[in-house]
Amino acid sequence: QVQVVESGGGLVQAGGSLTLSCTASGLTFDDYTMAWFRQAPGKEREGVSCISWAGRRTYFADSVKGRFTISEDKAKNTLYLQMSSLKPEDTAMYYCAAVFQRAFISWKLLSTVVNYWGQGTQVTVSS
């Protein structure tokens, strides 16, 4: 039984930092692309960052490049998203996702082949 659980969300002022965690039990990270998506009210879900299967290369949405860092601790089966220089437009529900043996090609494609989603953690950035 695979479980994906996010934590670490909260309220932060613009310019601040926050680190999200995603603990995934019942799977082996090396077999998956592990990703972060987010969805703001009234908007479509969008890809934020991922560590791709087969090579563990990292990818970032243009909107977060240079501000967000993604990492993983395989011993703890935990994925992290370190967010800095946060902006009000980063406000969203952040979701962790696991994709079995599919390398990253595009965010649109990746979102359609997710095997497991977490329940999400809310990030609110005040101006």
Side-chain angles (χ1 to χ4, degrees), residues 2-7 21-25 27 33-39 45 79 93-99 114-122:
V2 174
Q3 284 192 317
V4 178
V5 180
E6 305 94 333
S7 62
S21 300
C22 166
T23 300
S25 58
L27 58 79
T33 286
M34 297 301 299
W36 289 98
F37 288 81
R38 69 185 181 186
Q39 187 168 20
R45 188 174 295 185
L79 181 73
M93 185 72 79
Y94 283 71
Y95 297 92
C96 181
V99 181
V114 170
N115 298 99
Y116 304 103
W117 289 99
Q119 83 289 349
T121 186
Q122 177 68 38

Side-chain angles (χ1 to χ4, degrees), residues 1-102:
Q1 183 81 8
V2 174
Q3 284 192 317
V4 178
V5 180
E6 305 94 333
S7 62
L11 174 64
V12 63
Q13 287 189 333
S17 300
L18 208 58
T19 296
L20 305 183
S21 300
C22 166
T23 300
S25 58
L27 58 79
T28 300
F29 269 36
D30 281 338
D31 287 334
Y32 288 80
T33 286
M34 297 301 299
W36 289 98
F37 288 81
R38 69 185 181 186
Q39 187 168 20
K43 295 188 176 181
E44 290 188 355
R45 188 174 295 185
E46 63 175 358
V48 176
S49 183
C50 73
I51 299 179
S52 184
W53 173 67
R56 313 312 289 173
R57 184 174 176 179
T58 59
Y59 295 87
F60 296 89
D62 288 343
S63 58
V64 306
K65 279 181 183 175
R67 300 189 298 121
F68 290 12
T69 302
I70 191 170
S71 61
E72 61 185 0
D73 185 334
K74 296 176 189 178
K76 296 181 179 180
N77 257 37
T78 301
L79 181 73
Y80 301 99
L81 185 69
Q82 295 170 283
M83 307 182 293
S84 61
S85 301
L86 283 162
K87 305 174 182 180
E89 50 264 43
D90 293 317
T91 295
M93 185 72 79
Y94 283 71
Y95 297 92
C96 181
V99 181
F100 183 67
Q101 294 188 352
R102 293 279 193 110

